Amino acid sequence: MGLVVPVRYQTPEFTTIMLDSIDRVDPDKKRLHLNYRGWFDFSGQGEHSQDTLLKPNKRIMTAASCGHQWNHKGRINPRTLTLRELLLVATLDWKKFQVALRIAR
């Protein structure tokens, strides 16, 4: 609970990565609920077809924290993060995040 996770949001015009946090886990139905983006199954598929829960790594979390976006031509201007996302970024401990990634390899 409370874990900050990246979510890929994709439309025909662009793709972006948003930050959200887990607020409920339903082990019986094998799904979890994110505070803003709603329900996702354990495989990462959201109830909205344009949402996909991503496995956090340094590269993805950095892109989400910076508001990076892409379209069919490549990277486009970054979007402004919402206040909610800025607060989630502020909770990340980048030093421990990097150490955890090294141990996981």
Side-chain angles (χ1 to χ4, degrees):
M1 304 293 224
L3 179 68
V4 178
V5 293
V7 177
R8 182 180 68 195
Y9 175 73
Q10 190 165 359
T11 67
E13 295 83 30
F14 68 93
T15 301
T16 190
I17 302 173
M18 302 174 154
L19 292 176
D20 208 339
S21 60
I22 298 173
D23 64 3
R24 276 185 266 170
V25 177
D26 185 356
D28 296 331
K29 294 184 179 178
K30 296 183 180 180
R31 62 185 187 159
L32 52 92
H33 188 268
L34 301 185
N35 185 272
Y36 184 71
R37 300 304 299 174
W39 289 102
F40 287 80
D41 60 26
F42 283 176
S43 68
Q45 187 58 45
E47 64 184 351
H48 306 290
S49 61
Q50 70 269 21
D51 293 343
T52 305
L53 188 62
L54 301 174
K55 184 175 180 180
N57 64 38
K58 183 181 176 188
R59 191 173 179 179
I60 289 173
M61 295 300 276
T62 301
S65 299
C66 295
H68 288 179
Q69 299 184 104
W70 301 266
N71 67 10
H72 66 282
K73 295 180 181 178
R75 198 165 89 185
I76 57 176
N77 289 334
R79 67 184 177 84
T80 303
L81 296 181
T82 63
L83 176 59
R84 199 179 142 285
E85 288 178 294
L86 286 173
L87 293 171
L88 290 173
V89 170
T91 65
L92 296 173
D93 185 348
W94 290 100
K95 288 182 182 178
K96 288 186 179 179
F97 189 79
Q98 292 171 351
V99 170
L101 287 176
R102 285 188 205 126
I103 292 171
R105 291 182 195 167

